[in-house]
Amino acid sequence: MEKPFRIKLHVLSPIHIGCDDAYEPTNFVIDEKTGKLIEFNPMDFISSLSEKQRAEFAKCCERENLLDIFKFIKREYTSRVPGRMVGVASGLLAHYKDVLAMSSFDKKAVINQFKLMKTAYHPNDKLPYIPGTSLKGALRTAYLSALSAVEKPGPQSKAKDLESKDLESALLGGKFENDPFRLVKVSDLFPCAEAATEIVYAVNKRLSTDERESQASKKDVHPIFETVSPGAVFDGTVQVSPCPNSTESIKKDRLFAAAHSFFDGLLKKEVGSLEKIGLKHTGPSLIAEQFGDQLKENCFLVRLGRHSGAEAVTIEGHRQIKIMQKRGDSPKTLDHATTIWLASETQKPTDTSKLVPFGWAMLEVLPLEDMKNIYCVRTIPDRRAVDPLPPPPPLPPPPPECIRWDKALLVWSPHNQILKATKDSFRAEMRVSDKSVVPVELHEQLFVKKKSVEAAVEVEKQGNGFKLLKVFP
């Protein structure tokens, strides 16, 4: 078995990898002073409220008015509630204020206004990470593109056919156990140091010189999601082992060379496309500045995550990309995309120079010398340091439960002065030192004739028994 290699993923542009989780409107606020979103535990927030505030909050929840709940949390949140801070786009703060200024409740609008999708994170410390499956998928697509250029499948082959048929005969031998990619093992990648994230808008631009808006950009609600910010570095391992049942095993050098060739070609194409619509791509200058001497030696370009483009997830030469048309028209199928998704600070950007493509990263491959030091000590960034909340005052004991028994049977025991009341199979007693506690009209029957009578009584539950409190006239 081949020795694993250490890999570092250097983030060059915002990366979002979905995890089916979102920042809920009821567990965050956006601080106008810092311009950051603060996510907190709802139970910590409730613990910080006074009894009066809790009662008001309970009424808001009973009305199921999300806007009222949203406004209450913003009004009553204090820095005493610990939270994790996340950067947000400048336009999101104004967006947040607009929602708070709404006068009427629109359930659909309020929820859609702040559906902030999270990037993949570790559940223990909430820090972002890069799933190994995402990186392996990018490497596989690039490798298959290189393979298809050599194998030259028929001109009518589609990408899915190449995966299922031509690739099986040329590389997999038709069986899962012959697939050499099952022996390419990529670990999850965790941040070397603090990995900042930012919540941004995703805007869609046409890759043509006409001024028409794309179909996606015409929608009222634009995607908003958390991204790993450029500059973050993630650590992990990769192991490429030979496949004993395959005629063509994957070699590490060929795998990474294929990845760089594939994604470098996409980058050059993207640079040219953005220049045609007046946008400058900062990727090439950043790559040359930071990794110029190491390119194709131990640094290889990759692209992963959401909105990395249809070309980045399809095989070169066999693309079938669906292009949506205006309402009522059937979609077209082309071998290239006609739009691009870009990270933006606002929903409707006026300064296009600040728009940035998604998903670009540099993969650095290094010898694995010490497995113990591959991951740094992980700390939770931007955690507010606050004094612990004082323990809540002890609650008063609940009042005793008093019950009325109608038509209870009363019996007087003169030797110990005990008055007993029986109802069904239950019994309650009280010592009578002053007979005035019993209505006068019952005295002759109870105390003189010493006979049982029926009367309404009030009893108090005590443990598994009852105490007689009162006899009604």
Side-chain angles (χ1 to χ4, degrees):
M1 182 172 289
E2 297 293 327
K3 183 180 179 181
F5 285 81
R6 180 177 187 172
I7 55 174
K8 288 187 175 183
L9 191 76
H10 302 262
V11 178
L12 304 178
S13 69
I15 293 178
H16 170 85
I17 298 177
C19 62
D20 293 330
D21 196 6
Y23 290 99
E24 298 293 341
T26 52
N27 65 4
F28 77 81
V29 295
I30 298 180
D31 187 357
E32 289 87 348
K33 294 181 180 178
T34 62
K36 290 191 175 185
L37 178 146
I38 305 170
E39 183 189 28
F40 52 82
N41 186 324
M43 297 309 298
D44 290 339
F45 172 74
I46 293 174
S47 298
S48 70
L49 301 178
S50 65
E51 291 187 11
K52 182 179 179 181
Q53 289 172 322
R54 290 183 196 177
E56 182 182 354
F57 188 53
K59 290 181 180 179
C60 289
C61 296
E62 289 174 0
R63 291 195 298 268
E64 296 184 355
N65 187 324
L66 187 57
L67 183 59
D68 283 352
I69 296 173
F70 205 41
K71 290 182 176 181
F72 178 89
I73 291 175
K74 174 59 179 174
R75 183 176 67 251
E76 303 299 341
Y77 176 83
T78 67
S79 59
R80 296 181 63 200
V81 181
R84 187 177 68 92
M85 302 180 72
V86 181
V88 298
S90 58
L92 190 61
L93 179 57
H95 192 169
Y96 178 72
K97 291 180 179 179
D98 289 342
V99 172
L100 290 176
M102 294 173 63
S103 58
S104 60
F105 173 60
D106 183 337
K107 182 177 182 180
K108 183 177 179 181
V110 173
I111 292 176
N112 285 344
Q113 291 286 345
F114 278 98
K115 190 174 183 180
L116 314 181
M117 303 306 297
K118 292 184 178 182
T119 193
Y121 65 94
H122 195 282
N124 290 341
D125 55 20
K126 309 300 182 183
L127 292 178
Y129 80 102
I130 304 296
T133 51
S134 295
L135 179 56
K136 183 176 178 178
L139 295 175
R140 184 183 179 94
T141 300
Y143 192 82
L144 294 183
S145 291
L147 181 68
S148 69
V150 175
E151 297 295 335
K152 298 292 183 184
Q156 301 302 318
S157 297
K158 296 181 179 180
K160 61 180 181 181
D161 296 329
L162 183 66
E163 287 273 10
S164 60
K165 297 178 182 178
D166 296 319
L167 184 59
E168 285 185 0
S169 60
L171 182 62
L172 308 184
K175 296 181 180 179
F176 169 77
E177 61 267 24
N178 294 339
D179 182 357
F181 262 94
R182 71 184 177 85
L183 295 176
V184 176
K185 303 182 185 299
V186 183
S187 73
D188 292 337
L189 288 81
F190 296 99
C192 296
E194 179 179 333
T197 62
E198 183 180 15
I199 300 173
V200 300
Y201 292 96
V203 297
N204 193 253
K205 291 290 184 180
R206 283 186 177 274
L207 293 174
S208 61
T209 54
D210 62 48
E211 298 181 354
R212 292 180 302 155
E213 286 187 298
S214 66
Q215 293 299 315
S217 64
K218 294 179 181 179
K219 296 181 179 180
D220 294 332
V221 179
H222 294 267
I224 311 173
F225 46 78
E226 181 183 25
T227 60
V228 180
S229 300
V233 182
F234 293 81
D235 232 338
T237 61
V238 63
Q239 184 175 17
V240 183
S241 301
C243 185
N245 299 326
S246 177
T247 57
E248 184 177 345
S249 294
I250 296 175
K251 300 292 190 294
K252 176 183 74 71
D253 294 341
R254 184 180 176 186
L255 176 64
F256 295 129
H260 186 83
S261 176
F262 177 74
F263 290 109
D264 185 55
L266 294 183
L267 177 62
K268 291 176 180 177
K269 181 180 177 181
E270 185 174 88
V271 169
S273 298
L274 291 181
E275 285 180 351
K276 290 180 182 179
I277 60 174
L279 300 180
K280 183 178 179 180
H281 202 305
T282 59
S285 59
L286 182 63
I287 293 170
E289 179 183 346
Q290 296 186 12
F291 308 99
D293 297 336
Q294 299 171 282
L295 283 180
K296 296 190 287 186
E297 294 294 331
N298 66 326
C299 289
F300 309 93
L301 193 63
V302 293
R303 195 175 196 183
L304 64 160
R306 186 177 180 185
H307 290 329
S308 54
E311 282 102 337
V313 295
T314 52
I315 298 171
E316 185 75 36
H318 305 276
R319 295 192 173 104
Q320 301 286 326
I321 300 173
K322 183 185 290 186
I323 309 298
M324 302 304 295
Q325 305 299 306
K326 65 181 180 180
R327 184 182 296 273
D329 292 349
S330 301
K332 294 181 179 179
T333 301
L334 301 176
D335 63 352
H336 62 278
T338 59
T339 64
I340 184 173
W341 286 95
L342 302 168
S344 172
E345 289 285 315
T346 59
Q347 293 189 76
K348 299 289 185 180
T350 54
D351 184 2
T352 57
S353 64
K354 295 182 179 180
L355 300 180
V356 181
F358 289 98
W360 289 107
M362 187 65 67
L363 182 64
E364 183 180 8
V365 182
L366 302 168
L368 183 59
E369 298 176 353
D370 187 359
M371 197 72 175
K372 295 180 181 179
N373 296 325
I374 188 166
Y375 299 123
C376 298
V377 177
R378 304 173 69 195
T379 57
I380 301 176
D382 292 330
R383 175 67 70 177
R384 290 192 170 198
V386 297
D387 296 331
L389 294 174
L395 296 176
E401 182 181 0
C402 296
I403 305 171
R404 179 186 174 100
W405 290 350
D406 290 320
K407 295 184 178 181
L409 186 64
L410 292 177
V411 177
W412 165 250
S413 300
H415 66 281
N416 56 8
Q417 295 186 325
I418 296 295
L419 182 63
K420 299 177 182 179
T422 305
K423 176 70 173 178
D424 299 329
S425 59
F426 302 106
R427 187 176 70 176
E429 298 180 353
M430 71 181 298
R431 183 177 294 276
V432 179
S433 56
D434 182 359
K435 295 180 180 180
S436 63
V437 299
V438 178
V440 175
E441 56 267 31
L442 301 179
H443 281 203
E444 183 176 356
Q445 285 289 98
L446 274 177
F447 303 129
V448 178
K449 297 182 179 180
K450 299 180 177 59
K451 293 183 178 181
S452 61
V453 296
E454 281 191 351
V457 299
E458 183 179 76
V459 299
E460 174 186 306
K461 186 171 179 58
Q462 292 187 341
N464 295 326
F466 296 90
K467 178 182 180 182
L468 181 60
L469 298 178
K470 184 177 181 181
V471 180
F472 296 101

